[in-house]
Amino acid sequence: MLQQRFQRTPLLNGEDVEEKREEIRAYFHTTLDRYEQLFQTLRNDAAYYKSPITLRHPLIFYLGHTATFFVNKLVLAGTITERINPKMESTFAVGVDEMSWDDLDTSHYDWPTVDAVFDYRKTMREVVDKLIGDLPLTLPITWESQWWPILMGIEHELIHLETSSVLIRQHALEYVKPHPDWEPCRASGSAPQNQLIKVAAGNVKIGKDRADPVTYGWDNEFGQHDAEVSSFQASKYLVSNQEFLAFVEADGYITDSYWEEEGCGWKKYAQVKYPTYWVKQGAEWRLRVMAEEIAMPWDWPVEVNYHEAKAFCNWKAKVSKQPVRLPTEDEWYRLYDVTGLSEVPANTPAVGNLHLDYYASSCPVNKFSQGDFFDIVGNVWQWTETPTYPFEGFDVHPLYDDFTTPTFDNQHNLIKGGSWVACGNESLKSSRYAFRRHFFQHAGFRYVVSDASAIQSSSNYETDKLLSEYAEFHYGDSYFDVPNFPQALAELAVAAMGDRPARTALDLGCASGRSTFELAHHFEHVTGVDFSARFIGQGVQLAQHGVLRYTLIDEGELVFYKERTLTNLGLDDVKDKVEFYQGDACNLKPVLSGYDLILAANLIDRLYDPAKLLTTIHARVNTGGLLMITSPYTWLTEHTKKEAWVGGFKRDGESFGTLDGLKELLGKHFKLIQGPQAVPFVIRETKRKFQHTLAEVTIWEKIS
């Protein structure tokens, strides 16, 4: 058992500024001490330069990386202006997040000596220690504070305390050695028989407030999430090595039907036959812990990746004939609540195998009871069915804009509960860490039985340049005091409707769909149609999920991340009144008829045959209804052959404008009742480049 209790993450509020300053100073030094102590489990200098696995840098990188992180972030924040060692701060800047299990890092690096890196760490300590002593401090500390990057560096070091311990566990035994301060649990016995316990339905509310964070948090912890969780059953214990052995002996690793497609691909590539940390010696099983192999402790939790945990659940579902799966993140929070758990105490041991309070390894699954369950927190991380996603109100921190956003790809699943070495922020209820599904951590799982599907929140950010520009054009900020164009058009249309019937409207060429939603404030039902399925996908995303996420280019490769919600846009109450379809404006389906209003915004000069639309559109508008056309009249042969232009050319030697063409084509069935009127719009391309355009708006009433 470890003798010294490791300091907890500080509260960010308080009354005594100097006391808080010293608390953070102690947190900084004890964290660095503990991290450096971890590397004392390496047997020799050669161990620093041999990669434990091909998908990661050698350990010399991680020794240097966490130190240079402090300097790089403090320079970026402007808190310090002088670097310590620019070469090291470049060499150790960026780690490896492989995109797949077969991404091999074959790059050659000119690594510095071990002594040189430790010397760098010593100098960095002195710089940051002086900063902690001199930097003005105001409480509470928020993420705009100059103290935030200091806390960020400490918590980042604690993340690598855990991930580096995993790499050391994966190192060949010839490179590691036991250490008295990293002593594993020595207790084991018979594994308990697992059983299911019912958990009542309930509500979970999670998310930190940027204005009052209480403790340090990473960007994905901020915002709001509120969910109703259906009742379910959950396993009393984490799945033990003994319980998992039944899956291995049932040919679980060679039966493809138990594995998801992605997991089956990983299994075949890795040629695995049993869990990675298991060691087969003749007829005996042993377990690799961090710095040694021990006799298999069958009552400890099995440690596997998501694919293995999911395959076990699929196997168990088949043999038990019950809907067995991994819990969702919301279900884990429900378990946390029903067991009456709270944060790790400041001065007393944790109620689970957490925060290095007990062992440098897992321990029996029946040692730490928490309510009716065991190990809801602690022992090992627990895989969930939930790919990580941003909460409503998510924003990136400008000092670490790529901490979470690269994981919003539906390929990184959340792990919950913390392991024996999860310290600081990692030990908090609010922590949200996610890894690729083939990744190995000190992670295991428990299973649930539920008829409810494991709904996966969509977390992707739109990165296509054109689609992102249109998302911002429709739902983003206003620029140069120019009002939102789709919203302004909807307001003009509604004003022109007056007392006319407002049953249905068609937003033709709706693009990303903002006008469709805005018109639904006035009309009973609005249909948005666009030729591009990719564009209307943004409207569908908002209608179904209430949120749209996209990236915008600042300059070059630099981007920032935006989120828009129907609630914040004031459109949530109309989402059930809209629908979106893909369609060709020159060849619309007959069902798209009987409208009181048709809006054709910036459409006609993009059609291959605009006259075909204009000469037939009367059949789709109710008598007395309105047709609103907007266009900058940018006729281009890449969209419309010149002979099909409605205007913008000489006819009989005289200028023939698009408005002339509209009057000619629409005059038989419509009369012009409003316009022409110029309405400006701005499309943002980069932080410093914008398109400023005037669209001409005309409104026509159907007369026959």
Side-chain angles (χ1 to χ4, degrees):
M1 184 177 294
L2 299 173
Q3 299 300 311
Q4 187 175 5
R5 191 158 299 119
F6 194 40
Q7 187 177 345
R8 317 316 194 192
T9 190
L11 298 178
L12 302 184
N13 49 27
E15 301 296 329
D16 192 324
V17 168
E18 293 309 309
E19 182 179 292
K20 187 62 61 178
R21 186 188 302 273
E22 292 310 310
E23 181 185 2
I24 294 172
R25 189 196 305 274
Y27 192 47
F28 169 69
H29 286 293
T30 56
T31 296
L32 266 64
D33 288 345
R34 197 63 164 144
Y35 190 60
E36 291 170 8
Q37 186 189 67
L38 176 67
F39 287 82
Q40 294 175 17
T41 62
L42 298 183
R43 191 173 292 277
N44 49 43
D45 281 5
Y48 284 87
Y49 299 98
K50 177 71 174 176
S51 295
I53 58 173
T54 55
L55 301 178
R56 290 289 182 270
H57 286 309
L59 285 158
I60 189 68
F61 170 84
Y62 300 99
L63 180 66
H65 171 64
T66 59
T68 60
F69 183 92
F70 277 99
V71 175
N72 287 332
K73 295 306 180 187
L74 289 168
V75 168
L76 183 61
T79 309
I80 63 175
T81 57
E82 293 185 9
R83 293 190 170 277
I84 296 172
N85 186 320
K87 182 178 179 181
M88 282 198 189
E89 286 145 13
S90 175
T91 300
F92 293 125
V94 181
V96 180
D97 178 25
E98 81 282 358
M99 302 306 288
S100 181
W101 55 80
D102 55 356
D103 282 353
L104 303 181
D105 175 35
T106 58
S107 302
H108 173 73
Y109 292 85
D110 183 19
W111 302 115
T113 65
V114 175
D115 287 344
V117 177
F118 273 106
D119 286 344
Y120 178 92
R121 291 182 63 88
K122 181 180 178 182
T123 304
M124 181 276 294
R125 273 193 194 239
E126 294 168 353
V127 170
V128 176
D129 182 87
K130 186 176 188 305
L131 196 63
I132 291 172
D134 296 345
L135 199 64
L137 174 59
T138 301
L139 299 176
I141 298 171
T142 65
W143 79 346
E144 292 84 8
S145 168
Q146 287 184 296
W147 286 75
W148 198 262
I150 296 175
L151 293 165
M152 179 184 286
I154 299 170
E155 297 295 348
H156 174 262
E157 184 115 352
L158 289 173
I159 291 175
H160 283 279
L161 178 70
E162 174 150 12
T163 58
S164 294
S165 75
V166 174
L167 290 175
I168 290 171
R169 188 178 184 182
Q170 294 173 313
H171 225 346
L173 282 173
E174 64 183 285
Y175 293 117
V176 300
K177 61 184 178 181
H179 189 282
D181 290 320
W182 294 96
E183 181 70 12
C185 178
R186 298 297 180 185
S188 67
S190 299
Q193 183 68 38
N194 219 338
Q195 56 186 283
L196 292 168
I197 297 175
K198 186 172 182 179
V199 180
N203 177 265
V204 295
K205 292 180 183 290
I206 45 181
K208 288 185 174 181
D209 183 355
R210 274 182 56 180
D212 185 22
V214 183
T215 55
Y216 177 86
W218 299 104
D219 53 14
N220 62 22
E221 299 169 20
F222 289 89
Q224 303 83 41
H225 176 70
D226 189 333
E228 294 296 329
V229 180
S230 302
S231 63
F232 61 97
Q233 298 177 80
S235 62
K236 182 175 184 176
Y237 306 103
L238 297 173
V239 173
S240 66
N241 287 314
Q242 182 69 58
E243 189 173 7
F244 198 84
L245 178 65
F247 171 68
V248 175
E249 293 180 336
D251 293 333
Y253 277 83
I254 61 175
T255 306
D256 287 354
S257 61
Y258 299 146
W259 297 74
E260 304 296 304
E261 181 179 358
E262 181 186 337
C264 205
W266 168 79
K267 175 174 66 76
K268 290 178 179 178
Y269 171 81
Q271 294 292 298
V272 289
K273 298 179 180 178
Y274 44 79
T276 292
Y277 298 125
W278 288 18
V279 180
K280 189 75 178 289
Q281 289 187 350
E284 300 297 320
W285 290 102
R286 295 178 66 78
L287 182 71
R288 171 65 188 269
V289 291
M290 195 169 71
E292 59 185 292
E293 289 179 3
I294 62 174
M296 178 62 75
W298 292 111
D299 56 344
W300 290 17
V302 69
E303 292 169 86
V304 292
N305 65 21
Y306 169 88
H307 298 311
E308 294 166 296
K310 183 65 175 175
F312 174 94
C313 290
N314 290 341
W315 165 76
K316 194 165 186 67
K318 181 179 180 180
V319 298
S320 69
K321 295 181 170 41
Q322 292 182 295
V324 179
R325 58 168 170 79
L326 297 170
T328 64
E329 183 187 31
D330 289 341
E331 287 167 341
W332 180 86
Y333 277 112
R334 183 71 185 128
L335 284 168
Y336 189 104
D337 291 342
V338 300
T339 50
L341 284 165
S342 56
E343 303 290 11
V344 176
N347 300 308
T348 57
V351 297
N353 187 14
L354 191 65
H355 218 293
L356 286 172
D357 277 1
Y358 299 96
Y359 313 105
S361 74
S362 304
C363 68
V365 297
N366 56 355
K367 181 172 178 60
F368 289 99
S369 63
Q370 297 158 2
D372 293 333
F373 295 87
F374 287 75
D375 295 329
I376 299 300
V377 298
N379 224 356
V380 293
W381 290 97
Q382 300 165 51
W383 285 105
T384 74
E385 293 281 12
T386 308
T388 190
Y389 67 97
F391 291 154
E392 181 181 338
F394 167 82
D395 198 4
V396 297
H397 195 284
L399 296 182
Y400 204 169
D401 61 0
D402 58 350
F403 176 79
T404 304
T405 48
T407 68
F408 293 150
D409 57 4
N410 289 321
Q411 297 181 50
H412 290 72
N413 277 44
L414 286 156
I415 55 176
K416 308 300 294 185
S419 74
W420 53 269
V421 70
C423 299
N425 169 270
E426 287 185 294
S427 71
L428 300 179
K429 175 186 179 182
S430 57
S431 72
R432 302 182 78 228
Y433 293 89
F435 290 97
R436 291 191 178 274
R437 291 184 276 267
H438 65 273
F439 196 91
F440 286 100
Q441 194 68 2
H442 304 302
F445 67 103
R446 67 177 358 100
Y447 49 85
V448 302
V449 171
S450 174
D451 291 322
S453 64
I455 298 173
Q456 299 186 351
S457 299
S458 175
S459 62
N460 286 337
Y461 274 73
E462 179 57 65
T463 58
D464 179 272
K465 184 176 184 294
L466 181 62
L467 293 180
S468 293
E469 289 174 1
Y470 265 76
E472 179 71 358
F473 178 39
H474 279 235
Y475 302 104
D477 299 328
S478 295
Y479 299 95
F480 308 108
D481 297 321
V482 175
N484 179 280
F485 182 68
Q487 184 179 21
L489 296 185
E491 291 171 353
L492 281 173
V494 169
M497 288 295 294
D499 295 329
R500 293 177 175 85
R503 293 163 298 226
T504 60
L506 173 64
D507 185 5
L508 189 56
C510 65
S512 298
R514 177 67 180 270
S515 293
T516 310
F517 286 106
E518 294 289 349
L519 289 170
H521 282 307
H522 184 72
F523 290 85
E524 295 175 14
H525 190 80
V526 184
T527 301
V529 174
D530 198 272
F531 188 77
S532 170
R534 297 199 302 159
F535 277 135
I536 62 173
Q538 295 182 335
V540 171
Q541 171 75 16
L542 275 165
Q544 292 182 349
H545 302 289
V547 62
L548 181 65
R549 303 181 179 99
Y550 53 97
T551 63
L552 287 178
I553 295 174
D554 263 354
E555 55 182 89
E557 295 179 345
L558 301 180
V559 301
F560 72 101
Y561 299 82
K562 299 200 72 169
E563 174 184 287
R564 288 294 182 263
T565 66
L566 283 183
T567 300
N568 290 340
L569 292 165
L571 299 172
D572 191 59
D573 60 336
V574 300
K575 64 184 178 184
D576 295 326
K577 298 169 65 178
V578 303
E579 61 181 350
F580 294 93
Y581 292 106
Q582 183 181 16
D584 178 356
C586 299
N587 189 29
L588 292 173
K589 294 179 179 180
V591 70
L592 297 174
S593 301
Y595 293 105
D596 298 311
L597 168 76
I598 294 180
L599 168 61
N602 293 5
L603 174 67
I604 59 171
D605 59 353
R606 290 295 183 269
L607 299 178
Y608 60 87
D609 190 356
K612 184 176 181 182
L613 170 69
L614 294 169
T615 55
T616 60
I617 199 167
H618 65 278
R620 302 179 184 278
V621 185
N622 296 327
T623 300
L626 301 185
L627 168 65
M628 179 172 170
I629 295 175
T630 82
S631 174
Y633 305 152
T634 311
W635 296 101
L636 298 171
T637 55
E638 64 189 80
H639 300 301
T640 315
K641 292 181 180 180
K642 191 169 183 179
E643 56 267 28
W645 290 6
V646 170
F649 51 82
K650 293 282 187 177
R651 190 165 81 174
D652 299 328
E654 301 294 335
S655 296
F656 188 81
T658 304
L659 182 58
D660 298 317
L662 290 175
K663 290 177 179 178
E664 186 175 277
L665 292 169
L666 295 174
K668 183 177 179 180
H669 300 285
F670 292 91
K671 69 175 180 180
L672 180 64
I673 64 168
Q674 188 172 319
Q677 174 183 349
V679 177
F681 64 88
V682 173
I683 296 178
R684 180 195 185 282
E685 291 189 30
T686 71
K687 188 176 183 178
R688 298 172 183 85
K689 183 181 179 184
F690 299 82
Q691 300 176 30
H692 183 273
T693 311
L694 293 177
E696 185 167 278
V697 177
T698 54
I699 302 178
W700 310 75
E701 182 180 29
K702 181 181 175 180
I703 55 176
S704 66

